[in-house]
């Protein structure tokens, strides 16, 4: 089963992705983690993206699409992909469709965790203390939220027309969201 978790930063996608990884023996595909990894390694990609990441801007589609390509064609992970924080632009969503088609796969469920700005800010502030994430200063948080909402509008329109799109209230407690997702998946 391939699943997309969609929603603004702080909506709880990562938490739900971890639940799904355990439940479905899947693989969490977080482009945020992959990009942070490149920065940590100080790779060529890392050097290119560090400024955008720190400013809360989106990294270029080209870089993200290239990183994701390897994952989709990884035989071990096929049919067990839990996308967390990807795709975030229409170009990424279209590219994903193409990559899935070319690897004989499809998306089984798209979950949109919808949550308002106030809830997001509270949650990210909490996570900032726990995880000590460097790109999570308040200014960045707000910028990330706005960028997300602006850029992902076309992505939301793209996915919301699909029959396997489900919107879930992201302001619910973590367990409640987990239960709702579990009910849709029948697991
Ligand atoms: P996240 O950990 O998902 O909140 O992502 C952290 C940061 O990584 C974002 O603010 C973006 O700068 C970058 N990023 C993560 N995923 C993507 C993506 N799919 N497209 C573009 N930029 C991304």
């Amino acid at each position: 089963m391939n699943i997309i978790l969609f929603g603004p930063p702080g909506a709880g996608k990562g938490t739900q992705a971890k639940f799904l990884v355990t439940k479905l023996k899947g693989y969490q595909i977080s482009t945020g983690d992959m990009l942070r990894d490149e920065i940590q390694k100080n790779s060529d990609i890392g050097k290119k993206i560090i400024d955008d990441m720190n400013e809360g801007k989106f990294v270029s589609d080209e870089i993200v699409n290239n990183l994701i390509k390897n994952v989709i064609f990884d035989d071990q992970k096929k049919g067990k992909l839990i996308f967390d924080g990807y795709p975030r632009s229409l170009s990424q969503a279209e590219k994903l469709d193409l990559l899935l088609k070319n690897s004989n796969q499809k998306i089984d469920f798209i979950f949109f965790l919808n949550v308002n700005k106030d809830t997001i800010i509270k949650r990210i502030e909490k996570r900032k203390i726990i995880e000590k994430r460097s790109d999570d200063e308040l200014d960045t948080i707000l910028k990330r939220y706005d960028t997300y909402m602006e850029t992902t509008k076309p992505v939301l329109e793209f996915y919301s027309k699909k029959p396997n799109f489900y919107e879930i209230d992201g302001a619910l407690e973590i367990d409640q969201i987990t239960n709702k997702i579990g009910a849709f998946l029948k697991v």
Side-chain angles (χ1 to χ4, degrees):
M1 206 159 2
N2 292 323
I3 296 169
I4 293 177
L5 291 166
F6 187 66
K13 298 185 297 288
T15 308
Q16 298 304 329
K18 289 193 173 68
F19 150 75
L20 290 170
V21 164
T22 313
K23 200 82 186 169
L24 306 171
K25 296 193 171 53
Y27 295 87
Q28 180 180 3
I29 314 301
S30 158
T31 41
D33 284 349
M34 290 162 85
L35 294 167
R36 275 186 287 277
D37 211 41
E38 294 295 327
I39 292 178
Q40 203 104 44
K41 287 192 297 197
N42 200 24
S43 67
D44 285 346
I45 293 177
K47 285 176 198 149
K48 273 191 207 153
I49 63 176
I50 190 160
D51 291 340
D52 281 345
M53 290 272 292
N54 284 337
E55 286 170 31
K57 291 184 194 154
F58 275 18
V59 168
S60 80
D61 286 336
E62 196 194 344
I63 289 177
V64 174
N65 287 341
N66 269 326
L67 283 176
I68 219 83
K69 202 162 150 193
N70 298 330
V71 173
I72 290 172
F73 284 91
D74 182 338
D75 279 335
Q76 205 186 344
K77 295 180 181 165
K78 270 187 188 171
K80 297 176 181 176
L81 304 168
I82 319 288
F83 293 104
D84 156 19
Y86 168 90
R88 288 196 202 189
S89 67
L90 196 53
S91 144
Q92 291 179 13
E94 286 168 348
K95 179 78 178 182
L96 177 62
D97 267 4
L98 189 68
L99 291 170
L100 289 170
K101 196 167 157 238
N102 291 344
S103 59
N104 289 317
Q105 299 182 78
K106 62 178 170 57
I107 293 295
D108 297 283
F109 289 92
I110 301 147
F111 293 112
F112 174 46
L113 305 187
N114 197 3
V115 60
N116 67 31
K117 205 168 180 171
D118 285 346
T119 313
I120 297 279
I121 292 169
K122 275 184 215 140
R123 281 201 188 148
I124 299 188
E125 278 289 283
K126 215 190 266 176
R127 195 169 73 187
K128 183 175 136 187
I129 298 161
I130 299 165
E131 295 181 9
K132 299 190 179 71
R133 280 168 53 160
S134 66
D135 62 337
D136 274 348
E137 296 305 323
L138 190 61
D139 271 2
T140 312
I141 295 166
L142 297 178
K143 202 178 270 172
R144 279 170 62 196
Y145 183 88
D146 292 337
T147 310
Y148 185 91
M149 285 312 203
E150 235 168 76
T151 323
T152 55
K153 225 180 266 165
V155 188
L156 187 58
E157 273 163 27
F158 178 81
Y159 282 127
S160 59
K161 291 189 194 111
K162 307 229 174 194
N164 52 358
F165 173 90
Y166 300 91
E167 181 168 341
I168 297 175
D169 181 4
L172 292 171
E173 293 298 319
I174 289 172
D175 284 358
Q176 290 175 303
I177 298 177
T178 305
N179 288 342
K180 277 193 189 267
I181 292 178
F184 285 125
L185 298 177
K186 301 191 174 65
V187 291

